[in-house]
Amino acid sequence: MTPEPMKILFLAAEAAPLVKVGGLGDVAGSLPPALRQLPPEVTGGRPLDVRVVIPFHGEVQQRLPAPEWVTNLLVERASGAVQARVFKVNAGGQVYYLISGPPIDQPLPVYSPDDRVNGEKYIFFSLAALELARQLNWQPDILHAHDWHTAIAVYRLCQNRLVDPFFQNTRSLLTIHNLPYLGGDATEILAEYGIPPTQNRSLPAWARSFPLPLGLLAADKISAVSPSYAREILTPEFGCGLQDFLATRQQDIHGILNGIDTAAWDPATDPGIPRPYSIDTLDLRRANKTTLQEELGLSVSDDPLLVFIGRMDNQKGVDLAIEGLRKALDLPWQAVFLGTGSALLESAARSMESEHPDRFRAVIRFDTALSRRLYAGGDMLLMPSRYEPCGLAQMIAMRYGCVPVARATGGLIDSIRDSRPGSPGTGFLFSDTSGGGLEAALNRAFQAYQNADAWQAIQKNGMEQDFSWTRSAIEYAKIYHQMSEDAS
Ligand code: ADP
């Protein structure tokens, strides 16, 4: 007899390929298929039936005009029940449920800058997603929620299962992708849905009506997207005021490094790069650098080509990168920064280009196609993040033989091995958050770059790393299994 599948209700604000704003979209797009494909020996004999539920965002509605209608449902609210309509699509073998309804249907960006608007949208979504499971009579063994946007589903579940047999055996895991985004004070919106703030004193008083803290309080297990970040959030520097509370939950906090889609990010088969190459044909990589230099109007030289690819946000240390490069003007670098975000940081990058038009390019847009050419043609990826829960750019870069020069924080510590003379790692790490830290790391990297064999050894070490989602999926499956054992 085939064993009962373990049912996982997987809730996220975004999931590639339907909608991707950042790393969360990559995770919610890649982890569910990797979980489904795990062999029975790592899932305790039970296959994993993972159903992904995301909001039917305005921009997805435009791209997907006619998905299959599944059901309508009501979410109770003081001012009157609100109707949600649920649709379904199959993308690449994975089923996605899409929830629409008045707070979601607005022509809004996926994330509004307005906390209130976001709160209305994601709290409604979280409650509707739980209701969907009931409507489908599909009793989840595990509710796996991500970040503040879906944390209220975990909080509501925890209240419901005391009185509601349907959810009695459902256990919850809440994954933290970026702790500082707590969801804002949602007292009024929660009150509309009949959800009072918690009185639990282990949470600081200010946090008792914020979605993420409420979810973290209620979750059976918590995970962070790298082992180092799971430790860092227990400290005042990274804990966002929740460190003492999180310390009380330390036993239940796991750190699992994200993966990357190794088929989608493969320099041997990437149709978007001028000259595909592999670890065995690394010399072909050079043509990608030359084409990139020509494309961007930089001189075609052997000088190291540094690339930055990421959100222009304080988190990513764009200012540190620029300061580091200013300090390292004696080194023969060329640099390309690709990103959008804060007007201040975008303008700092533009100023750098006007000061150094012969060696610096600022490309202020979101451009996946160009990002591929940068990973394939750049020699080094600059990633001086102030904090980095996991980070995907450094993993993609290593897979493409573009060596990361990164700050030793969070997932960057867990994915990059520092190189020393005579001991090639997979990149270069530094701790100091002044431009001087990056400058020192660049000096070490430039030393290694002088020696073609030493440099290739670092590139090859990086290309050989296993960043596949299977590795992460096995870790998640272990937690699911443990929780479902605890429930029975
Ligand atoms: P985060 O999720 O914090 O934004 P990650 O490093 O985890 O950072 O993931 C960022 C992803 O988005 C990577 O795949 C990176 O290549 C991509 N990316 C970021 N900015 C841009 C951009 N301007 N153009 C193209 N791709 C980008």
Side-chain angles (χ1 to χ4, degrees):
M1 210 171 73
T2 327
E4 264 287 278
M6 191 187 292
K7 302 195 212 69
I8 319 292
L9 181 63
F10 195 103
L11 308 186
E14 46 176 303
L18 299 182
V19 52
K20 173 186 151 169
V21 177
L24 173 61
D26 285 316
V27 175
S30 300
L31 178 58
L35 286 165
R36 276 197 349 259
Q37 285 155 22
L38 287 177
E41 54 276 20
V42 293
T43 59
R46 295 172 72 182
L48 301 179
D49 178 2
V50 189
R51 312 260 174 118
V52 181
V53 188
I54 62 170
F56 199 6
H57 300 285
E59 66 161 85
V60 186
Q61 294 189 15
Q62 279 166 9
R63 274 185 281 119
L64 268 183
E68 182 187 336
W69 175 83
V70 177
T71 187
N72 288 348
L73 51 87
L74 291 175
V75 181
E76 295 303 329
R77 188 174 167 127
S79 50
V82 186
Q83 192 185 58
R85 283 163 299 125
V86 187
F87 302 87
K88 170 163 112 168
V89 286
N90 187 319
Q94 175 67 50
V95 172
Y96 296 86
Y97 289 94
L98 301 156
I99 294 186
S100 77
I104 296 173
D105 293 340
Q106 318 289 329
L108 291 170
V110 172
Y111 305 112
S112 159
D114 183 334
D115 271 352
R116 171 88 200 188
V117 171
N118 274 331
E120 287 285 356
K121 176 174 176 178
Y122 287 109
I123 291 171
F124 170 75
F125 168 72
S126 299
L127 300 176
L130 281 185
E131 210 41 53
L132 172 64
R134 188 199 304 280
Q135 190 97 340
L136 298 176
N137 198 20
W138 189 80
Q139 264 177 308
D141 296 288
I142 305 293
L143 165 65
H144 188 171
H146 297 265
D147 274 351
W148 79 263
H149 325 102
T150 54
I152 290 301
V154 175
Y155 187 59
R156 180 52 129 344
L157 168 81
C158 185
Q159 297 173 327
N160 275 5
R161 73 183 178 200
L162 298 172
V163 290
D164 180 349
F166 187 82
F167 287 113
Q168 208 165 22
N169 293 320
T170 304
R171 292 294 169 269
S172 60
L173 169 65
L174 179 54
T175 298
I176 304 170
H177 297 257
N178 206 334
L179 185 64
Y181 295 86
L182 301 173
D185 183 349
T187 311
E188 286 171 28
I189 304 168
L190 291 173
E192 277 283 307
Y193 290 107
I195 304 175
T198 181
Q199 300 301 324
N200 191 311
R201 303 181 81 83
S202 61
L203 269 186
W206 61 264
R208 292 180 197 157
S209 52
F210 278 57
L212 186 62
L214 288 173
L216 294 171
L217 180 71
D220 294 296
K221 296 272 182 200
I222 295 168
S223 70
V225 288
S226 69
S228 290
Y229 194 57
R231 285 188 293 275
E232 287 172 348
I233 57 176
L234 304 175
T235 67
E237 189 183 352
F238 299 100
C240 303
L242 296 177
Q243 59 276 6
D244 294 341
F245 157 69
L246 288 168
T248 67
R249 302 240 37 202
Q250 195 170 356
Q251 296 307 315
D252 296 315
I253 302 180
H254 300 257
I256 302 177
L257 194 69
N258 286 336
I260 54 172
D261 182 337
T262 48
W265 294 104
D266 182 352
T269 55
D270 190 333
I273 62 176
R275 179 66 71 91
Y277 58 93
S278 70
I279 193 164
D280 300 318
T281 57
L282 206 44
D283 289 335
L284 298 179
R285 196 174 185 280
R286 190 187 183 79
N288 294 306
K289 177 171 173 179
T290 309
T291 315
L292 190 60
Q293 286 166 322
E294 285 167 354
E295 173 186 345
L296 295 166
L298 292 166
S299 61
V300 175
S301 85
D302 284 341
D303 294 347
L305 178 59
L306 315 182
V307 299
F308 170 93
I309 303 165
R311 286 181 290 118
M312 296 229 170
D313 184 281
N314 191 44
Q315 176 196 339
K316 299 287 176 184
V318 188
D319 51 329
L320 299 179
I322 292 176
E323 193 189 333
L325 290 181
R326 282 220 170 88
K327 286 192 155 81
L329 284 174
D330 291 345
L331 294 175
W333 51 260
Q334 295 179 327
V336 184
F337 279 35
L338 170 65
T340 57
S342 124
L344 204 68
L345 295 169
E346 289 179 357
S347 123
R350 284 202 181 96
S351 306
M352 189 69 179
E353 174 169 331
S354 23
E355 282 165 47
H356 302 284
D358 54 324
R359 58 198 302 199
F360 192 94
R361 289 291 172 274
V363 186
I364 309 297
R365 58 174 190 262
F366 194 93
D367 186 341
T368 305
L370 176 59
S371 79
R372 289 179 176 280
R373 298 196 293 280
L374 292 173
Y375 287 122
D379 295 302
M380 300 176 200
L381 176 86
L382 297 179
M383 205 156 169
S385 308
R386 289 195 164 80
Y387 74 97
E388 194 57 77
C390 176
L392 300 175
Q394 81 281 10
M395 296 193 227
I396 300 171
M398 283 184 265
R399 188 152 169 78
Y400 278 66
C402 178
V403 174
V405 179
R407 247 200 97 223
T409 183
L412 298 171
I413 299 176
D414 299 326
S415 55
I416 301 170
R417 219 168 60 238
D418 194 31
S419 303
R420 294 282 161 187
S423 166
T426 59
F428 294 85
L429 290 170
F430 64 94
S431 300
D432 185 0
T433 46
S434 72
L438 176 59
E439 184 197 5
L442 278 178
N443 265 309
R444 292 196 288 126
F446 275 53
Q447 283 288 326
Y449 185 82
Q450 301 306 320
N451 177 331
D453 289 342
W455 190 253
Q456 278 217 350
I458 298 171
Q459 289 180 297
K460 287 185 176 172
N461 281 345
M463 293 175 87
E464 275 170 351
Q465 299 301 301
D466 176 10
F467 291 128
S468 71
W469 271 106
T470 309
R471 182 187 42 78
S472 316
I474 290 171
E475 298 290 309
Y476 281 108
K478 276 189 203 152
I479 300 182
Y480 295 163
H481 189 63
Q482 196 186 338
M483 285 198 291
S484 96
E485 296 266 281
D486 292 348
S488 53

